[in-house]
Structures are given as structure tokens and as C-alpha cells.
């Protein structure tokens, strides 16, 4: 229906639409209401039919029609959710979401970050989405899912916006030393296999400095702040999903070597003196490498090597 509306300059009659799509006039009207709730502005005139006045810059219709296939099955859009991750976890555990579903929200009331933090999620400007997938790796390699996701996001942003972004271990998307995106992965697994992974992705796309709480203004940025222009959110989402599908396919077909080496190339943490904090504990050293499970290998001042599975990394001078 969107294709017909887009391809037509003026109005398309309800009759023409229902013939073209092989559905009833009532079904056309229902679809118009659905599209309006996603932010499409569609004019309806009794004798003339429907006219697309304006499309939103983020729509699940546009996303799914670009990526639907063997890997991505469905995309659901909500004007507002508490947290896309909470919603996806709840729905997936109840068996209501098939793997390959993407949950997208225009805003979140209780957006969550890593380590119990809040993820600032104002409406109309950014990407908040959760990918529900059945990953090709087992629980031992669960960190690889996060690395793969951060690489997919970084590649997508670089390619879509020509922006120079890097990855701070394990999953922060950085531009000019500030954070422009983050990933929160949650898995449902038993000892041998991961039944489902919920990958929450937050990208600051079009937010302005004033959209960030005061305490984040020194450390957070957005694609718009960095490039000086707005970006269509659907385009970025589509790129992320395409990159994700490609990287996941490569991981399943050829193993993790090339994923780890591509990730290392974009990582801004390796080789640097860092402080890794987790709760009350802090440990300093040089971020030497990641191992083949994606854990950070920290060279301690004592000379020993410590494997770190989670924590916050800050660069030290
Ligand atoms: C981080 O702390 O870096 C992770 C941030 C993850 C934010 C995203 S936004 C979509 C999804 N829903 C949430 O509540 N959190 C993740």
C-alpha cells in the first residue's frame, strides 16, 4: 500500500487500492489507521481517496520491506514502551515473538543501560530497538553476540553517515571520544545452548545537546551533533540489520576469526592504559587484546594478565 501511495502524486481511490492489493475497502481503511499511528500523514477525502502527505523518518513498514527474508521476519513499531528489551524479553519468553523479530520504539519511558543505568530515550530523534534472535553460538561464546552487534552498528553508522566511529570494549559506539550508541544483550540459555538472545540497541541519531541530561553532555553525543545534519532513522536501522545479518551469517559459516579481527580494527580501547570498573572494584592496566571469546585481556602493572568479562572501561593518561 505504501508503494502505491508513494508512486502516486495525488490521491488514489479506495477502490483502486483495494483492487491493486486484492483486499476489501475496510482492510484499506484499517491499514490507513495503522500507518497513521506509526506517524504517516495520510489525507483521506470522501470522493478522491487517499494521499500520502508525509512519511515518518522511522517506520517498521519501511524497515521490514527492506530486510525481510530468511533471517529477519518481522518488525513491530510502538510509539512508546517502557523498554524495548523488557517488552521483547517478556513477549519472547511467553512465546509471542519468533526469532528474527525486531521491536522498535519511538521513545522509552524506562530505557535501560548496562550496569543498571538509565538510557535517556526522548521521542522522535533516536533509535531504540531490540533484536530477538536465535544465535549461532553457544553460551561460552555469548560475548561474541555483543561484539558482533557493536561491529554491525559501527559499520552501519560509518557507511550510512560517513562518520568516523570506533568501539570501546565491550560495546560502546564512540565518536570524538563520546558515546553515541550502546548495546544491552540479554540471553535465555541452558548449559549447552542459547535459546534466544535479545539485543537492545540504542543509537543517538538526531538528538541535540539539549536533549541530553546535563550530567551526560560531556560524555554523550549523537550522529547529528557529529555530522551537523539529520539522519533518517529507518535508513540507519536497515543498515544495522543488514550488517547484523551478514556478520551473523559469516560467523555461522566461517567461524569467529574474521569477526574478531574486524572488531579489533575498530576498537579504540586496545593498546591503551585503562581503568576497568565493575561495581565497587576497579583494576588498572593496559588493554592488550581480546581473547577468542571476546573477553578483555588486561596486562596488569604486576605483569600478570587478567581476563575481564564485564565492566566499564575508562582511558587513563
Ligand atoms: C549501554 O549502557 O551502553 C547499553 C544501552 C542500551 C540501550 C538500548 S535502547 C533499546 C534497548 N532497550 C533498553 O531499555 N535498552 C536498550
Amino acid at each position: 500500500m505504501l508503494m502505491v501511495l508513494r508512486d502516486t502524486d495525488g490521491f488514489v481511490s479506495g477502490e483502486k487500492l483495494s483492487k491493486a492489493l486484492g483486499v476489501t475497502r475496510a482492510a484499506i481503511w484499517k491499514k490507513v489507521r495503522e500507518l497513521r499511528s506509526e506517524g504517516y500523514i495520510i489525507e483521506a477525502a470522501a470522493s478522491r481517496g487517499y494521499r500520502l502527505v508525509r512519511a515518518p523518518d522511522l517506520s517498521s513498514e519501511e524497515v521490514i520491506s527492506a530486510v525481510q527474508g530468511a533471517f529477519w521476519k518481522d518488525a513491530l513499531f510502538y510509539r512508546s514502551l517502557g523498554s524495548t528489551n523488557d517488552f521483547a524479553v517478556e513477549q519472547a519468553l511467553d512465546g509471542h515473538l519468533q526469532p528474527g523479530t525486531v521491536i522498535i520504539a519511538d521513545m522509552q519511558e524506562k530505557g535501560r543501560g548496562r550496569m543498571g543505568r538509565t538510557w535517556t530515550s526522548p521521542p522522535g530523534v533516536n533509535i531504540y530497538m531490540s533484536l530477538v534472535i536465535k544465535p549461532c553460538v553457544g553460551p561460552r561464546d555469548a560475548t561474541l553476540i555483543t561484539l558482533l552487534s557493536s561491529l554491525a552498528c559501527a559499520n552501519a553508522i560509518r557507511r550510512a553517515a560517513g562518520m568516523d566511529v570506533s568501539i570501546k570494549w565491550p560495546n560502546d559506539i564512540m565518536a570524538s571520544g563520546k558515546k553515541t550508541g550502546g548495546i544491552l544483550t540479554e540471553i535465555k540459555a541452558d548449559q549447552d545452548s542459547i535459546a534466544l538472545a535479545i539485543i537492545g540497541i540504542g543509537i543517538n541519531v538526531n538528538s541535540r545537546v539539549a536533549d541530553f541530561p546535563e550530567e551526560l553532555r560531556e560524555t554523550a553525543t549523537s550522529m547529528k551533533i557529529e555530522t551537523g545534519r539529520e539522519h533518517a532513522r529507518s535508513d540507519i536501522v536497515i543498515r544495522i540489520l543488514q550488517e547484523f545479518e551478514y556478520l551473523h551469517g559469516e560467523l555461522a559459516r566461517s567461524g569467529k576469526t574474521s569477526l574478531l579481527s574486524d572488531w579489533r580494527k575498530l576498537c579504540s580501547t586496545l593498546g591503551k592504559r585503562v581503568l576497568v570498573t565493575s561495581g565497587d572494584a576497579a583494576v588498572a592496566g593496559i588493554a592488550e587484546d581480546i581473547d577468542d571469546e571476546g573477553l578483555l585481556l588486561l596486562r596488569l602493572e604486576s605483569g600478570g594478565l587478567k581476563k575481564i568479562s564485564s565492566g566499564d572501561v575508562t582511558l587513563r593518561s
Side-chain angles (χ1 to χ4, degrees):
M1 174 151 157
L2 273 176
M3 264 160 61
V4 180
L5 288 174
R6 278 212 173 91
D7 288 350
T8 314
D9 251 352
F11 283 89
V12 192
S13 71
E15 194 185 339
K16 193 170 166 198
L17 274 173
S18 66
K19 273 207 185 114
L21 303 172
V23 296
T24 62
R25 301 272 295 265
I28 296 288
W29 178 234
K30 186 166 169 249
K31 190 73 200 161
V32 167
R33 282 203 312 261
E34 257 173 53
L35 289 170
R36 282 178 173 165
S37 76
E38 282 211 21
Y40 285 87
I41 306 207
I42 298 172
E43 193 182 342
S47 52
R48 302 163 80 188
Y50 302 98
R51 182 172 78 93
L52 179 61
V53 179
R54 190 153 51 83
D57 82 311
L58 177 59
S59 111
S60 58
E61 302 277 339
E62 206 177 329
V63 167
I64 203 60
S65 65
V67 301
Q68 198 164 37
F71 194 80
W72 298 117
K73 307 282 188 206
D74 202 3
L76 306 175
F77 176 88
Y78 297 88
R79 280 237 158 272
S80 174
L81 285 176
S83 145
T84 56
N85 261 39
D86 289 347
F87 180 83
V89 168
E90 198 184 294
Q91 296 285 312
L93 292 186
D94 286 351
H96 298 317
L97 292 182
Q98 56 173 335
T101 303
V102 184
I103 305 292
I104 305 171
D106 188 55
M107 65 171 280
Q108 299 184 115
E109 276 144 28
K110 288 190 184 144
R112 291 191 288 120
R114 289 170 63 236
M115 316 266 184
R117 295 195 192 102
T118 298
W119 188 259
T120 306
S121 310
V125 282
N126 295 331
I127 292 170
Y128 319 109
M129 67 176 174
S130 296
L131 319 181
V132 181
I133 64 153
K134 165 101 185 82
C136 61
V137 293
R140 229 178 103 91
D141 280 329
T143 310
L144 291 183
I145 302 168
T146 299
L147 297 191
L148 186 155
S149 309
S150 60
L151 185 59
C153 291
N155 284 346
I157 294 173
R158 289 171 87 86
R159 287 171 187 155
M163 243 174 92
D164 186 17
V165 288
S166 64
I167 303 169
K168 182 160 79 97
W169 184 89
N171 61 6
D172 290 353
I173 310 297
M174 308 293 291
S176 312
K178 295 183 176 186
K179 182 159 166 169
T180 192
I183 291 151
L184 179 69
T185 305
E186 298 177 298
I187 58 170
K188 177 176 160 33
D190 59 29
Q191 265 198 333
D192 308 313
S193 75
I194 300 180
L196 277 179
I198 312 288
I199 301 150
I201 297 178
I203 308 284
N204 299 330
V205 180
N206 293 320
S207 42
R208 295 150 305 162
V209 175
D211 294 321
F212 293 108
E214 198 109 42
E215 65 276 15
L216 289 184
R217 290 184 192 163
E218 286 298 304
T219 53
T221 189
S222 74
M223 294 176 64
K224 179 178 172 173
I225 295 170
E226 295 301 313
T227 60
R229 62 195 161 89
E230 301 229 328
H231 300 270
R233 287 177 292 166
S234 287
D235 289 351
I236 313 291
V237 170
I238 290 167
R239 292 265 190 162
I240 293 174
L241 298 179
Q242 289 169 336
E243 290 284 338
F244 191 102
E245 179 176 356
Y246 170 76
L247 293 172
H248 188 268
E250 282 292 289
L251 178 63
R253 277 188 297 275
S254 324
K256 51 191 165 185
T257 313
S258 86
L259 168 66
L260 291 170
S261 107
D262 289 349
W263 188 91
R264 283 187 183 99
K265 284 182 203 147
L266 279 191
C267 178
S268 52
T269 316
L270 300 183
K272 305 267 171 56
R273 284 165 55 76
V274 296
L275 186 71
V276 186
T277 46
S278 182
D280 287 342
V283 48
I286 293 175
E288 202 162 276
D289 200 358
I290 49 166
D291 72 1
D292 66 359
E293 288 168 16
L295 305 188
L296 182 66
L297 300 176
L298 190 68
R299 180 67 64 188
L300 304 175
E301 270 139 32
S302 63
L305 199 61
K306 190 174 169 65
K307 278 191 184 188
I308 313 255
S309 61
S310 73
D312 265 336
V313 170
T314 38
L315 294 184
R316 301 172 88 205
S317 45

